[in-house]
Amino acid sequence: MNLFDDALVFLNDPFNWTRPGGILDLLVEHLRISALAVLAAMALALPVGILLGHVGRGGAFTVALSNVSRAVPTLALLTIFAVTPIGFGPTATTIALAVFAVPPILTNTYVGFRGVDRDVVEAARAMGFGERQVAFKVELPLAAPLLMTGVRTAAVQVVATATLAALVAGGGLGRIITLGFRQQDYGAVLAGALLVAALAVLTELVLAGLSWALTPGPRRFPIPLARQRSVAEPEPTAARMPL
């Protein structure tokens, strides 16, 4: 049997899914760690991005903070936490992943708000909208697609990186990979990698659908180029032959 056959055997064994500490239990842990990290990052990055984007200041600060956050490896943070009261475990993993998720959310929120047409903003102010109403009733809906792109990017990155939780006793699907390496069961390693990849793709699809639903204005799925002409204009009729 080759490596892929071993992985399929591992994934097709119901015992590997339903036993205590099996795939289903690890999947729940993986989702919980990832969701808490993304929510924590949103709670920190969204208000800052909205404020700075609305007032039009702090662009250099936003870029610098995002670059610094990206430069800090998640594994390095976990190593640092090990010698602090935070220690090992799910809490350390959640904090490290939240730091990892802040840059795309913060940057996209700021850029989305700054990209709103200034004429629309000034028109809203001329109609008597206060600054809070301008920010949340005018700018936020128009910036939502780019904002959701940042959240989607962060969520996919966190889901993929959460496998590191297994290195610090944090649980998640990474335990399948680490246990497979420990036992030299490379079929299980591949199976764990496939599960993480499938979960990341599913996260991308779900959040892409949510982003599509939150986009203001008419919503429709992309039309293939070959069909755009037939939708935009009627097909030409055949010329009549002279009698």
Side-chain angles (χ1 to χ4, degrees):
M1 297 178 67
N2 59 33
L3 192 60
F4 289 96
D5 290 336
D6 292 342
L8 290 177
V9 169
F10 181 89
L11 294 174
N12 286 327
D13 187 351
F15 179 72
N16 290 331
W17 289 83
T18 57
R19 63 181 173 82
I23 294 176
L24 292 178
D25 289 343
L26 296 177
L27 177 62
V28 171
E29 291 179 358
H30 199 103
L31 289 174
R32 181 174 66 249
I33 293 170
S34 301
L36 289 175
V38 173
L39 290 175
M42 291 174 62
L44 175 64
L46 287 180
V48 176
I50 290 173
L51 177 62
L52 296 180
H54 175 68
V55 300
R57 299 176 182 175
F61 166 77
T62 303
V63 172
L65 180 61
S66 297
N67 291 336
V68 169
S69 300
R70 286 192 181 99
V72 178
T74 305
L75 188 57
L77 282 178
L78 293 175
T79 304
I80 294 173
F81 291 157
V83 295
T84 67
I86 298 176
F88 281 160
T91 302
T93 306
T94 301
I95 296 174
L97 291 175
V99 173
F100 183 61
V102 164
I105 299 176
L106 177 61
T107 302
N108 280 50
T109 302
Y110 175 82
V111 173
F113 268 71
R114 295 310 302 156
V116 175
D117 192 340
R118 294 299 97 187
D119 292 338
V120 175
V121 174
E122 293 304 324
R125 287 173 176 154
M127 294 173 61
F129 279 32
E131 292 303 315
R132 184 183 295 271
Q133 291 176 309
V134 170
F136 291 98
K137 293 186 177 181
V138 178
E139 292 177 320
L140 181 58
L142 295 176
L146 194 55
L147 185 154
M148 284 301 302
T149 299
V151 173
R152 188 170 74 246
T153 301
V156 173
Q157 291 177 348
V158 165
V159 167
T161 312
T163 53
L164 295 176
L167 300 177
V168 292
L173 294 173
R175 291 184 60 184
I176 300 175
I177 299 174
T178 57
L179 185 60
F181 275 118
R182 203 172 299 160
Q183 297 177 345
Q184 296 185 350
D185 184 357
Y186 299 111
V189 173
L190 179 59
L194 291 175
L195 288 170
V196 174
L199 184 59
V201 171
L202 181 61
T203 302
E204 170 74 19
L205 293 176
V206 170
L207 292 180
L210 181 60
S211 176
W212 173 80
L214 293 177
T215 300
R219 306 185 192 92
R220 60 183 180 183
F221 291 103
I223 301 174
L225 292 176
R227 297 184 55 196
Q228 285 183 355
R229 185 174 183 276
S230 62
V231 174
E233 59 183 6
E235 290 290 338
T237 58
R240 293 184 179 181
M241 295 296 292
L243 296 176

